[in-house]
Amino acid sequence: MRINELPLIMGRALIITIIIELIVAIIIGLRKKDLINVILVNIMTNPLVVTIPLYINIKYGLLERNIALFIFEILAVLSEGFVYSKYLKYKKINPYVISLILNLSSYLTGTLINRIIY
Amino acid sequence: MKKYLLLILSVLLFVPSIIFADMGAPAIEPYKATVTNKNGAVLYDKKADDKYEATNKILKYGETVEITFDDEEYAEINYTNYIKHSDITMIEKNYTMKDSEWGKAYNALVLKELVVRTGPANGYDKTGLTLKPGTIVSIREGIFEGGSVWAYVNYNGQTGFIDTYNATITLGGRIETRVVMTDTKIKDASTGNEIGTLTAGTELYGKIYNVDAWSHSYYIETKDVKGIVEKFHLATKGKEITVNYSGKKDLNVYSSGSVESTVIGKIKPGTTFKTNIYSDEIMFGAFYYDDGTTKGWILPEADDSEFIKVTGKDDSSQELEDITGVNLFGDEEEVTDKVVKENPTQVSNFNQTLLLVVIGALVLFIVALVTIMLINKKKSDY
């Protein structure tokens, strides 16, 4: 990967994540403004989760990158859950659980799609 | 509450396994290829013993794939399955070399027979040039992200690209002294056959070369030995120091620089002795002990390091870690940084771009958060 391809790769990852999470969010029962919040929350966290571990990988190494990725994934779930708890109108499921479900879905679905295609 | 805790716990266990399953690997610049076998292309899995096993998946004639790694015979599709080179054809066969992606040239020694190609992957055509072991060439390592295993080579004006994976070529080195910490085999660089053994305590003075980052080996050339040695058996000799042991129980002396070796002697509390510090990538701060009778290794990682103090000329003591923090990883980082350090402009551009991207992500975070707050001023539940 060339460094100047990074924004394109990030953009692609963000779009795919948003699409998958929107689909799952609709299945769960989120509607209207809540779906906009789902999009915005991913714009908020996804680029950071992608770029900072990459930066750490280049500067320090793979082990540090994996640790950073683990921490940032957890932080992403928690921060998204926090935003959902503050602003989601949908109250049937705990907002942190929603965050966890959406994040897990986007990761697992992406992996599954990859395997089916290839 | 219990359900949520269980869910969180399973994620905490699940996420690291995903992440750690995606450990870094040698990389190439990905390229696209088309399936040109009219009967389709069988997909293969790579087994733990590096053998390829056919699956029941077949790609259709004309399908386009992205190749993320390859060897002479097989190409990896998007970090998952493998396909034979004979079943595909690269779409863009003309590689355009960007000068900023390749480091400064330096001399290297060819260790194995190497086919030179027109681009940095096995999918590119051969140039017709094959380099023999022992040839000195000029190389430029790929410095783009991903840890490229390919290098640009120039041999008497003939140029191309070579695969540096699996210790095919030396990648920077130094003339220095290394000490063998544990008994280890030495292998012939071109054939991989064992040609001898190095015993613990042996001092090697000569050329110590890095090879690729994944072989975990050095290529060494001294007046007595020449060959490939695994990294973790060689340590860099540090400065001579005086050490005092003030623990309550006897300190072990080991037969080699490994805690699994035999204890061959004991040092009494209160003993002061002169030694050198030895450091390598996994065992730092080992001391060699020789009192004329017992010759072996003291391993602070194993035994009571807090009682082992280095004493200076003015009798002030230093903590062990202050000393062993120096030269902890030997010279590898210096050598692998060599190309990058000699190209400050390239490094600067790379670092600037990376930093800009991280800043961009932070800005997006703030903008998105503010937007969320603004559009959600009025709340109503459903």
Side-chain angles (χ1 to χ4, degrees):
Chain A
M1 185 204 75
R2 297 192 180 88
I3 190 66
N4 54 2
E5 290 172 4
L6 185 56
L8 191 64
I9 290 168
M10 279 170 58
R12 200 167 55 195
L14 178 60
I15 289 167
I16 292 170
T17 302
I18 287 172
I19 290 170
I20 292 168
E21 291 204 13
L22 277 178
I23 292 171
V24 176
I26 291 168
I27 293 170
I28 289 175
L30 272 68
R31 296 290 181 266
K32 301 176 193 171
K33 205 182 259 183
D34 286 348
L35 295 176
I36 296 172
N37 282 319
V38 168
I39 294 171
L40 288 169
V41 136
N42 276 287
I43 293 172
M44 198 175 89
T45 59
N46 186 271
L48 283 174
V49 171
V50 169
T51 52
I52 293 181
L54 172 67
Y55 183 85
I56 289 172
N57 186 18
I58 290 167
K59 289 296 173 193
Y60 301 106
L62 193 61
L63 178 63
E64 289 82 357
R65 170 255 186 188
N66 286 337
I67 293 169
L69 190 55
F70 175 62
I71 292 169
F72 271 87
E73 294 279 5
I74 299 292
L75 286 175
V77 168
L78 291 174
S79 56
E80 289 180 21
F82 178 75
V83 170
Y84 291 151
S85 70
K86 287 279 183 208
Y87 299 115
L88 272 196
K89 294 174 188 173
Y90 182 80
K91 300 292 180 191
K92 289 179 187 166
I93 301 176
N94 183 291
Y96 289 94
V97 174
I98 292 175
S99 171
L100 194 60
I101 291 169
L102 294 181
N103 277 285
L104 267 179
S105 306
S106 59
Y107 179 83
L108 292 173
T109 312
T111 310
L112 192 63
I113 288 170
N114 233 10
R115 289 196 181 272
I116 289 171
I117 288 172
Y118 292 110
Chain B
M1 187 61 188
K2 257 192 205 169
K3 269 192 296 191
Y4 296 148
L5 281 174
L6 265 171
L7 199 51
I8 289 166
L9 192 64
S10 51
V11 165
L12 285 173
L13 292 171
F14 178 59
V15 169
S17 61
I18 296 167
I19 292 166
F20 283 97
D22 180 28
M23 292 292 282
I28 62 170
E29 275 192 79
Y31 60 87
K32 291 205 189 306
T34 310
V35 175
T36 44
N37 183 336
K38 291 206 161 49
N39 299 320
V42 173
L43 292 183
Y44 294 80
D45 282 333
K46 194 172 184 180
K47 297 293 163 194
D49 57 0
D50 284 347
K51 291 203 177 357
Y52 295 90
E53 190 179 87
T55 67
N56 56 8
K57 290 185 257 186
I58 295 181
L59 291 184
K60 292 182 196 156
Y61 170 73
E63 268 197 71
T64 300
V65 291
E66 177 155 295
I67 304 301
T68 47
F69 191 69
D70 62 8
D71 58 27
E72 289 260 341
E73 202 182 343
Y74 291 88
E76 179 191 69
I77 300 173
N78 212 23
Y79 307 105
T80 53
N81 295 116
Y82 292 80
I83 196 168
K84 282 189 175 175
H85 276 297
S86 53
D87 289 337
I88 54 172
T89 301
M90 191 183 247
I91 290 173
E92 182 46 67
K93 278 192 161 279
N94 296 318
Y95 178 73
T96 306
M97 185 177 168
K98 285 188 184 167
D99 195 62
S100 60
E101 291 177 349
W102 300 88
K104 192 171 175 179
Y106 63 90
N107 284 347
L109 177 67
V110 176
L111 300 176
K112 292 180 179 163
E113 191 165 281
L114 276 178
V115 167
V116 179
R117 294 190 179 268
T118 57
N122 282 292
Y124 289 94
D125 293 332
K126 298 179 187 179
T127 64
L129 174 64
T130 301
L131 300 170
K132 301 284 179 209
T135 310
I136 304 284
V137 295
S138 167
I139 63 162
R140 295 174 67 182
E141 291 181 78
I143 56 172
F144 39 88
E145 192 270 340
S148 174
V149 296
W150 286 77
Y152 174 77
V153 68
N154 185 328
Y155 175 60
N156 292 339
Q158 295 178 82
T159 60
F161 295 87
I162 50 173
D163 187 352
T164 69
Y165 190 46
N166 272 333
T168 61
I169 197 162
T170 58
L171 294 172
R174 291 163 61 98
I175 297 176
E176 60 180 10
T177 302
R178 293 282 180 121
V179 175
V180 181
M181 299 291 280
T182 46
D183 291 353
T184 183
K185 305 280 183 210
I186 183 162
K187 295 181 182 177
D188 182 87
S190 60
T191 63
N193 298 329
E194 282 179 16
I195 53 174
T197 305
L198 296 174
T199 47
T202 307
E203 269 198 21
L204 303 169
Y205 174 74
K207 296 176 187 173
I208 312 289
Y209 291 100
N210 274 331
V211 290
D212 64 276
W214 297 277
S215 302
H216 300 298
S217 302
Y218 291 119
Y219 173 72
I220 63 171
E221 263 189 22
T222 70
K223 62 176 174 54
D224 300 314
V225 292
K226 205 186 276 195
I228 298 284
V229 177
E230 276 185 13
K231 268 186 185 172
F232 306 127
H233 299 282
L234 299 188
T236 314
K237 192 174 175 180
K239 57 185 184 181
E240 189 181 80
I241 48 170
T242 305
V243 174
N244 173 263
Y245 174 60
S246 59
K248 290 194 167 35
K249 49 185 185 179
D250 291 351
L251 188 62
N252 290 330
V253 180
Y254 294 84
S255 59
S256 79
S258 165
V259 295
E260 289 160 19
S261 59
T262 316
V263 174
I264 56 168
K266 300 274 186 184
I267 296 173
K268 298 281 175 210
T271 304
T272 299
F273 55 93
K274 279 192 190 303
T275 184
N276 292 88
I277 297 178
Y278 296 86
S279 58
D280 67 4
E281 288 172 44
I282 52 168
M283 286 283 305
F284 72 95
F287 301 139
Y288 188 67
Y289 180 77
D290 180 359
D291 64 6
T293 311
T294 304
K295 294 181 191 191
W297 296 90
I298 296 164
L299 308 175
E301 284 290 284
D303 304 308
D304 296 327
S305 59
E306 67 268 29
F307 298 113
I308 302 171
K309 292 280 193 280
V310 176
T311 56
K313 282 180 185 171
D314 59 357
D315 284 334
S316 61
S317 63
Q318 278 176 275
E319 287 300 327
L320 186 70
E321 284 172 358
D322 292 339
I323 297 296
T324 57
V326 173
N327 212 20
L328 178 60
F329 290 106
D331 296 304
E332 186 199 10
E333 284 197 348
E334 278 186 43
V335 174
T336 53
D337 272 353
K338 180 175 182 260
V339 171
V340 177
K341 276 179 185 165
E342 287 175 4
N343 293 281
T345 310
Q346 293 167 10
V347 173
S348 170
N349 287 343
F350 184 94
N351 284 343
Q352 262 173 23
T353 308
L354 189 59
L355 202 56
L356 277 170
V357 170
V358 172
I359 291 169
L362 284 165
V363 166
L364 266 177
F365 177 89
I366 295 164
V367 165
L369 185 59
V370 167
T371 310
I372 289 169
M373 286 161 63
L374 285 172
I375 69 167
N376 287 286
K377 269 186 178 170
K378 204 173 167 184
K379 234 172 27 162
S380 61
D381 296 347
Y382 67 88

